[in-house]
Amino acid sequence: MEAKATAYSNIALVKYWGKRDEELILPTNPSLSMTVDAIYTTTRVRFDEARTSDAFRLDGEPAGQDATRRVTEALDHVRALAGTRVRAVVESVNSGPTAAGLASSASGFAALATAAATALGLELDDTQLSILARRGSGSASRSIHGGFVQWHMGVAPNGHDSHGVQVADEKHWDVVMIAACVNAGAKDVSSRDGMRRTVDTSPFYRGWLDTVDRDLENVRRGILERDFELLGSAAESNALKMHATTLAAQPPFIYWLPASLEIMQTVRDLRGAGVPAYFTMDAGPHVVVLCQPDDAAVVDARLKELPGVTQTFVSHPGPRAHATRVGE
Ligand code: DP6
């Protein structure tokens, strides 16, 4: 009843921003991401009949109450499928970039769902795994697959059709994503709270919903036709629109820091100088820069020169989540 799984994080090219069902984690819009090979989580889950509660250790330390509660809730979905109530010890280790404050809930909940299902001997297909991962954190539904992945929002009230589907595998096209980290304190508005506040209060949210399908179509076509400018320009515009919705929320909030804007300007300057590069940003101040392999060294060097950039992490399209049983 023990298994270990690794799942790779993903960076959305078309963002998931808003839920229509908070309990089931069903989105208001479809999204599309690239799984990234440099940011990942490895999780070991051991179910133990003798335990009366779950325990969660993160990066070698006992995790706090909120994190442990979210892990228990995610495990409850796996336990319900397996028809058991047995409790578990969960140990997760994030790769370096997550310690720097880069998305870890996608790889974390994808690894947890995959490890727990394997430990309990469930033989799930990718759709079922993606749905389980989604119940932990929406973006985790995309990290079950490698390469380029669309989260189909679905229409069913129970969410059975809301899961990730691979658009193209990791060998299809080598897009480089360079995460430029800036010096940030703790996030003051989590993605979960930020999207809720935006859906509830931002008059710009309507504009987000009205244009997201077109962004998705352009990003999809950019990937399938390996058209970097189409992909990059649609992804950059989509990220800016997501952030614009937060400016009009009540109370308003903004994830950018001065260093984030400096990176955005540098990307625009690179483009002006003939280097195709585009940016995207999640619910935080770090900026992820998209470029092609031949330009990666130049782009990375330019980003590292900026005083506000603390570290960069270079990713290529990453593989699917995978698990192995331990001790049998
Ligand atoms: C801005 O998946 O972290 O990164 O479902 O509430 O756990 P919950 O949210 P989460 O949100 C990610 C939002 C985003 C965009 C994206 O990854 O698509």
Side-chain angles (χ1 to χ4, degrees):
M1 295 234 285
E2 182 170 353
K4 187 175 162 180
T6 298
Y8 296 80
S9 196
N10 66 75
I11 301 292
L13 297 157
V14 175
K15 306 296 181 189
Y16 146 51
W17 195 240
K19 294 180 180 68
R20 66 179 194 276
D21 185 317
E22 297 255 343
E23 161 65 21
L24 295 173
I25 309 200
L26 297 176
T28 44
N29 67 272
S31 55
L32 201 159
S33 59
M34 186 177 104
T35 301
V36 287
D37 65 354
I39 311 176
Y40 53 90
T41 303
T42 298
T43 295
R44 186 184 274 260
V45 179
R46 181 167 52 83
F47 287 95
D48 179 352
E49 304 281 358
R51 294 195 64 86
T52 54
S53 63
D54 298 316
F56 177 38
R57 289 178 72 82
L58 181 58
D59 294 327
E61 308 278 341
Q65 264 185 2
D66 286 356
T68 306
R69 185 181 38 78
R70 273 184 78 174
V71 162
T72 286
E73 285 169 8
L75 286 174
D76 285 345
H77 301 307
V78 189
R79 283 187 279 248
L81 272 187
T84 177
R85 300 167 80 112
V86 66
R87 301 283 140 183
V89 178
V90 177
E91 289 177 84
S92 284
V93 178
N94 286 325
S95 65
T98 50
L102 279 166
S104 60
S105 72
S107 53
F109 284 99
L112 179 64
T114 307
T118 304
L120 288 176
L122 291 170
E123 282 173 15
L124 304 182
D125 62 23
D126 284 348
T127 297
Q128 292 167 304
L129 268 180
S130 174
I131 288 173
L132 269 184
R134 188 200 80 217
R135 298 296 304 271
S137 185
S139 53
S141 66
R142 302 182 305 237
S143 273
I144 295 302
H145 299 277
F148 300 88
V149 185
Q150 183 170 340
W151 175 8
H152 289 264
M153 61 182 281
V155 291
N158 73 359
H160 76 83
D161 52 359
S162 185
H163 55 82
V165 174
Q166 190 177 61
V167 172
D169 72 17
E170 58 271 35
K171 294 188 190 72
H172 168 72
W173 191 24
D174 189 10
V175 170
V176 181
M177 285 190 170
I178 306 180
C181 297
V182 310
N183 207 342
K187 242 198 235 187
D188 50 350
V189 185
S190 68
S191 46
R192 191 160 282 194
D193 293 344
M195 67 176 85
R196 182 188 301 124
R197 193 188 301 174
T198 305
V199 171
D200 290 348
T201 66
S202 177
F204 292 178
Y205 194 68
R206 192 67 253 165
W208 165 258
L209 290 178
D210 284 346
T211 57
V212 74
D213 284 341
R214 197 170 63 225
D215 292 346
L216 188 89
E217 201 34 55
N218 285 333
V219 164
R220 259 187 86 92
R221 205 151 53 77
I223 292 165
L224 294 174
E225 296 173 6
R226 300 188 183 88
D227 181 337
F228 186 72
E229 284 175 23
L230 179 60
L231 168 73
S233 54
E236 186 172 300
S237 156
N238 180 265
L240 287 170
K241 277 187 281 186
M242 179 199 114
H243 285 268
T245 65
T246 75
L247 303 183
Q250 268 324 315
F253 60 109
I254 178 161
Y255 288 114
W256 303 348
L257 290 174
S260 324
L261 284 163
E262 209 183 353
I263 300 167
M264 295 185 220
Q265 189 54 48
T266 301
V267 170
R268 295 236 158 98
D269 291 347
L270 277 163
R271 227 152 54 211
V275 179
Y278 297 87
F279 62 80
T280 184
M281 286 180 75
D282 285 341
H286 310 299
V287 182
V288 177
V289 181
L290 278 66
C291 66
Q292 296 173 101
D294 286 350
D295 299 319
V298 170
V299 173
D300 190 41
R302 274 298 290 279
L303 294 170
K304 284 195 169 110
E305 275 167 18
L306 297 174
V309 171
T310 51
Q311 277 173 296
T312 63
F313 295 95
V314 180
S315 273
H316 298 265
R320 55 164 301 128
H322 57 86
T324 47
R325 289 181 78 110
V326 177
E328 279 157 49

